[in-house]
Amino acid sequence: MSESSSPPWSSDSVGLVSPRTLHFDQPLELDCGRSLDAFDLIIETYGELNAARSNAVLICHALSGDHHAAGYHSATDRKPGWWESCVGPGKPIDTNRFFVVCLNNLGGCCGSTGPNQLRADNGKPWGPDFPIVTVRDWVRSQQRLMQALELPRWAAVIGGSLGGMQALQWSVDFPDLTRHVVAIAAAPRLSTQNIAFNEVARQAILTDPDFHDGRYAEHATVPSRGLMLARMLGHITYLSDNAMADKFGRDLISGNPQFSFEAEFQVESYLRYQGRSFIDRFDANTYLLMTKALDYFDPAREFGGDLASAFERTEAGFLLVAFTRDWRFSPERSRELMRALLQAGKSVSYACIDSPLGHDDFLVPVPDYLKVFGQYMHKVAKEAGA
Amino acid sequence: MSESSSPPWSSDSVGLVSPRTLHFDQPLELDCGRSLDAFDLIIETYGELNAARSNAVLICHALSGDHHAAGYHSATDRKPGWWESCVGPGKPIDTNRFFVVCLNNLGGCCGSTGPNQLRADNGKPWGPDFPIVTVRDWVRSQQRLMQALELPRWAAVIGGSLGGMQALQWSVDFPDLTRHVVAIAAAPRLSTQNIAFNEVARQAILTDPDFHDGRYAEHATVPSRGLMLARMLGHITYLSDNAMADKFGRDLISGNPQFSFEAEFQVESYLRYQGRSFIDRFDANTYLLMTKALDYFDPAREFGGDLASAFERTEAGFLLVAFTRDWRFSPERSRELMRALLQAGKSVSYACIDSPLGHDDFLVPVPDYLKVFGQYMHKVAKEAGA
């Protein structure tokens, strides 16, 4: 139309993308003993499926992620998908070679069946009546998605943090359905401290008077205080002490102490902003579900606590990536995974990336990380004939 | 009266103690620019002042501490004072040798002038109108206390955590009024992450609908949700990841996942209990004040950011103690103090105690800690002629 019609994104972006929703009408049994009669999953795909149907990779999202991993929903979008740094033409998850699938998990709040969606039986929001789902439940639902897309197996299942845990669980529960697992900044289970932080976040939400036992939608309100506190606390665990110090130090917004409870250190202002903006885009019931899925994740549990046994049957090869300054899921947690995989006789590559940010490093383009990740995915692509 | 009349405490306890309140009627100028026309400090003392008045030591309390450092208020008390492990006959702070003074700080909630006390001018609780106080203000008020007790100087000022910060500030602001400083599990200033945790705790309280801008007493309520969350979060930072893992692991109260938001991991139950019991004994406005005093503490600030300069004029000798697993104020923070003191040409002893608990180690009788502390205090006592 005019010279401004050139797309606003760079050539290594997948560019304009659209989600689509798949409906599943076979009941899904859940770990909690309940089942979903039917459910929807909203997904995005990037790249093309090859004729052999061998180049499909699944991206699993983390706590506050969704199906929009890469690209833009419109030319006026201010931000791309959450993993734009790693997904696109020529990037580690190379959309010139792979058919990339990313979904919003069950219980999520971005379009898949979850607390903020309406129930088919009574037309009301699920709210707190949505079942507490586990990583195993998600993997089971993702296997339905694989079938719906008529994929014989994944070339790789890939994720960071809670997403990495899903990738690991895939290799345990469907040992022959993924050729590779890429688990970044993940852990074989939460530590006691991890659970403790989740519990504080949950209590912040559960005790918010606007929570109304999870039926806040019916009360036309939102437990915004609780959700804000949960997010502020989360952010502290996503960044290393050093990264926070480098970014904000002890800098005062107005240069001098104000002797008030207004935000006066820069870091206070940052956290409040992060907390407030989360309220608009995330659902409190979903936040509760995600933290429980994290707490429960423990693939060794069904194998008498022996992690190596859990991985024994898998045919997958593994890439584990950790970040030096990650204190939420420290490199030691990835090494624990590595040792179990080696003990189980699996092929495993492990990289510990020296980077300052912390847990959030998995979302940013740290050069060494992109190289390690890209080289591994190059191997995955070659094997897949992509 | 009967054979049960033998005291319920062991021979190394100071036993039955009683607090007393001192009234100060000279105005106290505060860092915030306001002043207190008069104020009360509630104190406890243990041991006897010698004729030379040279054996007095001051104990400064931490965030949730008070004047009741040792002994029992009655024969039926279930718990002794908060530092019973270190204060008593034959203990590091040996009450056979020292005259020990411990106070509740200004702004506290245990009897000294603070938010939960009534104003002299209108008979109403101070509430949120109590000024935001700093570590320097506390030290200034403690110097008034020293004068009231007719003490020429302290043989030592001693404290852990925020208490250690007060001890350090004493050496900066009154360089000739303390012979020794013992700063345990302290830091020269809060890190950005420390401030961030404080900010989440404050937001939990400030956004609690029962907070009423701090005037909850007038509304006959208490911001119990906020105070509970603040305390739960605090407890996570007081314990090391390892200590939490050793104590609670991933143990489930009922053995199996319950798929509910009730406390099901042992650590959840522990944190909820700690949070709830704090509501009954602590005041939310005081909690806010304590966290601000922590955030503002930065003795180097007035000296162009040069910590060594801050300590230049002091005549005190220093003992710094850190604990290997303390991640709130890690050993590196104590080493930072040590380096500044050495640069200033001061006498400094530094011990890093290998102990699993974390920040809370300063409150418990870790054998190496008691030995290092005791030996240093033995030297202090000899110097003081005690």
Side-chain angles (χ1 to χ4, degrees):
Chain A
M1 313 232 321
S2 74
E3 52 276 29
S4 70
S5 67
S6 68
W9 38 80
S10 64
S11 60
D12 65 353
S13 175
V14 296
L16 203 61
V17 295
S18 292
R20 61 190 169 113
T21 300
L22 280 72
H23 182 70
F24 298 84
D25 57 9
Q26 294 300 305
L28 185 75
E29 303 287 329
L30 303 172
D31 278 348
C32 65
R34 294 168 61 188
S35 68
L36 291 170
D37 290 340
F39 59 95
D40 290 340
L41 294 178
I42 187 167
I43 70 168
E44 284 184 9
T45 67
Y46 324 115
E48 300 294 329
L49 186 61
N50 63 10
R53 309 187 86 77
S54 63
N55 69 332
V57 300
L58 176 68
I59 293 176
C60 303
H61 70 71
L63 199 154
S64 63
D66 56 30
H67 53 287
H68 183 39
Y72 297 79
H73 285 160
S74 80
T76 55
D77 265 10
R78 287 176 50 233
K79 281 185 174 177
W82 56 268
W83 220 4
E84 182 77 0
S85 59
C86 292
V87 183
K91 291 180 182 170
I93 304 175
D94 189 343
T95 50
N96 290 332
R97 308 180 77 179
F98 291 110
F99 174 64
V100 182
V101 180
C102 187
L103 77 156
N104 184 216
N105 277 333
L106 276 180
C109 53
C110 302
S112 290
T113 301
N116 71 348
Q117 298 290 310
L118 304 182
R119 297 176 68 139
D121 53 359
N122 64 13
K124 286 186 180 177
W126 273 98
D129 300 321
F130 194 85
I132 292 182
V133 284
T134 65
V135 170
R136 293 176 75 234
D137 294 331
W138 285 335
V139 167
R140 222 173 290 133
S141 70
Q142 290 159 3
Q143 193 253 347
R144 296 280 180 89
L145 172 62
M146 193 183 83
Q147 291 173 326
L149 298 173
E150 297 176 46
L151 302 170
R153 54 152 71 178
W154 301 106
V157 181
I158 306 166
S161 192
L162 177 54
M165 291 168 168
Q166 295 163 60
L168 293 165
Q169 191 74 51
W170 258 97
S171 73
V172 175
D173 292 350
F174 298 103
D176 56 346
L177 293 188
T178 184
R179 279 188 177 278
H180 291 274
V181 164
V182 180
I184 304 163
R189 72 190 69 80
L190 292 205
S191 70
T192 317
Q193 188 186 72
N194 293 149
I195 297 172
F197 278 122
N198 278 348
E199 168 64 4
V200 175
R202 277 192 295 267
Q203 284 297 310
I205 292 168
L206 292 166
T207 65
D208 187 323
D210 285 331
F211 183 65
H212 296 291
D213 292 325
R215 301 191 194 285
Y216 42 87
E218 296 171 37
H219 290 78
T221 183
V222 163
S224 54
R225 289 170 290 250
L227 199 53
M228 181 193 74
L229 290 170
R231 184 61 168 177
M232 290 172 76
L233 184 54
H235 265 280
I236 299 179
T237 70
Y238 304 153
L239 294 174
S240 70
D241 194 2
N242 299 53
M244 274 204 163
D246 289 349
K247 210 166 173 178
F248 307 108
R250 293 179 46 90
D251 296 349
L252 293 160
I253 294 165
S254 70
N256 282 300
Q258 297 301 304
F259 298 99
S260 86
F261 297 115
E262 297 303 307
E264 58 175 341
F265 288 94
Q266 297 284 3
V267 68
E268 295 175 286
S269 170
Y270 167 80
L271 288 176
R272 289 187 195 185
Y273 173 80
Q274 294 293 341
R276 285 201 200 106
S277 57
F278 195 58
I279 299 165
D280 301 325
R281 74 173 184 88
F282 214 79
D283 178 69
N285 282 316
T286 288
Y287 200 89
L288 294 174
L289 292 179
M290 295 285 150
T291 61
K292 287 302 270 190
L294 276 163
D295 287 4
Y296 288 139
F297 175 71
D298 188 1
R301 192 179 152 87
E302 295 162 79
F303 296 86
D306 181 20
L307 193 57
S309 299
F311 292 123
E312 211 144 75
R313 294 184 309 139
T314 187
E315 295 169 13
F318 291 78
L319 171 63
L320 307 174
V321 181
F323 298 94
T324 46
R325 290 291 183 178
D326 184 352
W327 67 280
R328 183 174 171 87
F329 300 145
S330 74
E332 179 50 29
R333 314 307 310 279
S334 284
R335 286 195 294 268
E336 202 182 327
L337 283 164
M338 178 189 68
R339 286 190 295 265
L341 286 163
L342 290 174
Q343 199 188 320
K346 304 300 159 186
S347 164
V348 50
S349 300
Y350 166 66
C352 182
I353 306 294
D354 199 0
S355 180
L357 205 55
H359 191 61
D360 263 357
D361 270 318
F362 88 86
L363 294 167
V364 299
V366 182
D368 283 352
Y369 163 45
L370 295 188
K371 270 181 219 154
V372 165
F373 192 2
Q375 280 182 11
Y376 193 88
M377 292 306 295
H378 176 71
K379 191 182 75 170
V380 173
K382 273 180 68 175
E383 268 184 41
Chain B
M1 312 222 331
S2 73
E3 51 281 20
S4 69
S5 67
S6 68
W9 39 80
S10 64
S11 60
D12 65 352
S13 174
V14 297
L16 203 62
V17 296
S18 293
R20 61 189 169 114
T21 300
L22 281 72
H23 183 70
F24 297 83
D25 56 11
Q26 294 299 307
L28 185 75
E29 303 287 329
L30 302 172
D31 278 348
C32 65
R34 293 168 62 188
S35 67
L36 291 170
D37 290 339
F39 60 95
D40 291 340
L41 294 177
I42 187 168
I43 70 168
E44 285 184 8
T45 67
Y46 323 115
E48 299 294 328
L49 186 61
N50 63 9
R53 311 186 84 80
S54 62
N55 70 331
V57 299
L58 175 69
I59 294 176
C60 303
H61 70 70
L63 199 155
S64 62
D66 56 28
H67 54 288
H68 183 39
Y72 296 79
H73 285 160
S74 80
T76 56
D77 266 11
R78 286 176 50 232
K79 281 186 175 177
W82 57 268
W83 221 4
E84 183 77 0
S85 59
C86 291
V87 183
K91 290 179 182 170
I93 304 176
D94 189 342
T95 51
N96 290 331
R97 306 180 79 180
F98 291 111
F99 174 63
V100 181
V101 180
C102 186
L103 78 156
N104 183 218
N105 277 334
L106 277 179
C109 55
C110 301
S112 290
T113 302
N116 71 348
Q117 298 290 307
L118 304 182
R119 298 175 67 138
D121 54 359
N122 64 13
K124 287 187 179 176
W126 273 99
D129 300 321
F130 193 85
I132 292 183
V133 284
T134 65
V135 170
R136 293 176 75 233
D137 294 330
W138 284 335
V139 167
R140 221 173 291 132
S141 70
Q142 290 160 1
Q143 193 252 347
R144 297 281 179 87
L145 171 62
M146 193 183 82
Q147 291 173 326
L149 298 172
E150 297 176 45
L151 302 170
R153 55 153 73 177
W154 301 106
V157 181
I158 306 166
S161 193
L162 177 53
M165 292 168 168
Q166 294 163 60
L168 293 165
Q169 192 74 52
W170 258 96
S171 72
V172 175
D173 291 349
F174 298 104
D176 56 346
L177 293 188
T178 184
R179 280 189 176 277
H180 291 276
V181 163
V182 179
I184 304 163
R189 72 190 69 80
L190 291 206
S191 71
T192 317
Q193 188 187 72
N194 292 148
I195 297 172
F197 278 121
N198 278 348
E199 170 63 3
V200 176
R202 277 193 295 267
Q203 285 297 311
I205 292 169
L206 292 165
T207 65
D208 187 323
D210 286 330
F211 182 66
H212 296 291
D213 292 325
R215 301 190 195 285
Y216 42 89
E218 296 171 37
H219 290 77
T221 184
V222 162
S224 53
R225 290 171 290 250
L227 199 53
M228 181 193 74
L229 290 169
R231 184 62 167 176
M232 290 172 77
L233 184 53
H235 265 280
I236 299 179
T237 70
Y238 304 153
L239 294 174
S240 71
D241 194 1
N242 300 55
M244 274 204 162
D246 289 348
K247 211 166 171 177
F248 307 108
R250 292 178 48 88
D251 296 349
L252 293 160
I253 294 165
S254 71
N256 283 300
Q258 296 302 304
F259 298 100
S260 87
F261 297 115
E262 297 302 307
E264 58 175 340
F265 288 94
Q266 295 285 2
V267 67
E268 295 176 285
S269 170
Y270 166 80
L271 287 176
R272 289 188 195 185
Y273 173 80
Q274 294 293 341
R276 285 200 200 106
S277 58
F278 194 59
I279 298 164
D280 300 325
R281 72 173 184 88
F282 214 80
D283 178 70
N285 283 316
T286 289
Y287 201 89
L288 294 174
L289 293 179
M290 295 285 150
T291 62
K292 287 302 269 190
L294 275 163
D295 287 5
Y296 288 138
F297 175 71
D298 188 1
R301 191 178 153 87
E302 295 162 80
F303 296 87
D306 182 19
L307 194 57
S309 298
F311 292 123
E312 210 144 76
R313 294 184 309 139
T314 188
E315 295 169 12
F318 290 78
L319 171 63
L320 307 173
V321 181
F323 298 93
T324 46
R325 289 291 183 176
D326 184 352
W327 67 280
R328 183 175 171 87
F329 301 143
S330 74
E332 179 51 29
R333 314 308 309 279
S334 285
R335 286 194 293 271
E336 202 181 327
L337 284 164
M338 178 189 69
R339 286 190 294 266
L341 287 164
L342 289 174
Q343 200 189 320
K346 303 302 159 185
S347 164
V348 51
S349 300
Y350 166 66
C352 183
I353 306 294
D354 199 2
S355 179
L357 204 55
H359 191 61
D360 263 358
D361 269 319
F362 88 87
L363 294 167
V364 299
V366 181
D368 283 351
Y369 164 44
L370 296 188
K371 272 181 218 153
V372 165
F373 193 2
Q375 280 181 10
Y376 193 88
M377 292 308 293
H378 176 73
K379 191 183 75 171
V380 173
K382 272 178 68 178
E383 267 183 40

